[in-house]
């Protein structure tokens, strides 16, 4: 086996905790499967879930033990490896969107969220971002509000009055 540093397998940041959580989750699923009907016979309703969760426990324990044997990767931090800045930014935008959705309404908050997100991710001209945002918003609005008749938060835009004005034009 080569001792070249790039060929030696190392433990990624967060891998040990993730494998431990897999073991704990598998044990929980095994307990839930046992509560279905216990293990009275092979044809009982809980037999297959018990077998599947027992296999999960075995596999996750093997993965956890193997992970414990690996050396930790040098120079790699958990935050940058598992939670890069671009993901944190989009998650923050989603949080702000969910907070302002009820007060501003679907149209304004979705427009703002889409515009900022597309501009941040796509980094194109403002006019292109505006076009993509408007097109996406119109399609989503038509599909959900008009076709499926989902009630969306109205907010400060008088949506009902606008829709009734448009409908009166067709009469």
């Amino acid at each position: 086996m080569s001792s070249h540093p790039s060929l030696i397998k190392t433990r990624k940041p967060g891998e040990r905790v993730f494998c431990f959580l897999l073991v704990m989750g598998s044990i929980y699923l095994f307990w839930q499967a046992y509560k279905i009907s216990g293990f009275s016979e092979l044809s009982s309703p809980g037999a297959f879930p018990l077998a599947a969760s027992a296999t999960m426990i075995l596999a996750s324990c093997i993965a956890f033990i193997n992970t414990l044997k690996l050396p930790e990767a040098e120079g790699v931090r958990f935050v940058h490896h598992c939670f890069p800045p671009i993901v944190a930014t989009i998650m923050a935008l989603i949080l702000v969107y969910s907070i302002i959705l009820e007060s501003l309404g679907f149209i304004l908050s979705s427009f703002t969220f889409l515009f900022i997100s597309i501009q941040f991710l796509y980094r194109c001209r403002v006019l292109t971002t505006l076009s993509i945002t408007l097109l996406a918003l119109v399609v989503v609005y038509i599909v959900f509000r008009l076709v499926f008749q989902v009630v969306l938060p109205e907010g400060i835009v008088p949506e009902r009055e606008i829709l009734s004005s448009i409908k009166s034009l067709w009469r």
Side-chain angles (χ1 to χ4, degrees):
M1 178 173 233
S2 175
S3 62
H4 193 270
S6 64
L7 297 177
I8 298 173
K9 184 157 173 48
T10 57
R11 185 176 68 235
K12 305 277 189 293
E15 191 172 359
R16 181 178 41 201
V17 172
F18 179 76
C19 286
F20 177 74
L21 292 174
L22 280 177
V23 172
M24 294 293 103
S26 300
I27 291 169
Y28 174 76
L29 290 175
F30 184 82
W31 175 248
Q32 292 300 312
Y34 181 77
K35 285 174 46 178
I36 291 173
S37 67
F39 187 67
S40 54
E41 54 187 271
L42 285 175
S43 62
S44 66
F48 184 75
L50 274 171
S53 57
T55 305
M56 287 175 61
I57 290 173
L58 180 66
S60 60
C61 284
I62 291 170
F64 182 60
I65 290 168
N66 289 337
T67 301
L68 290 176
K69 294 177 185 176
L70 294 175
E72 189 172 345
E74 293 180 25
V76 182
R77 295 186 338 197
F78 176 80
V79 172
H80 288 289
H81 182 74
C82 297
F83 198 63
I86 194 166
V87 173
T89 303
I90 295 299
M91 288 181 71
L93 285 172
I94 291 170
L95 177 65
V96 170
Y97 173 70
S98 66
I99 291 170
I100 66 171
L101 180 62
E102 196 64 39
S103 59
L104 279 183
F106 175 78
I107 294 174
L108 285 179
S109 58
S110 296
F111 175 82
T112 307
F113 170 74
L114 284 171
F115 185 82
I116 293 170
S117 299
I118 292 169
Q119 187 64 39
F120 175 70
L121 294 171
Y122 195 45
R123 300 182 197 274
C124 57
R125 291 182 299 146
V126 174
L127 190 58
T128 305
T129 302
L130 184 63
S131 302
I132 294 170
T133 301
L134 287 173
L135 179 66
L137 191 58
V138 166
V139 168
V140 167
Y141 187 83
I142 288 171
V143 168
F144 285 98
R145 181 67 177 102
L146 302 179
V147 175
F148 294 126
Q149 298 179 351
V150 175
V151 178
L152 301 169
E154 192 169 307
I156 59 177
V157 175
E159 179 187 326
R160 280 181 265 165
E161 288 80 14
I162 294 170
L163 283 176
S164 64
S165 300
I166 293 172
K167 286 180 183 177
S168 67
L169 292 174
W170 297 106
R171 292 182 188 179

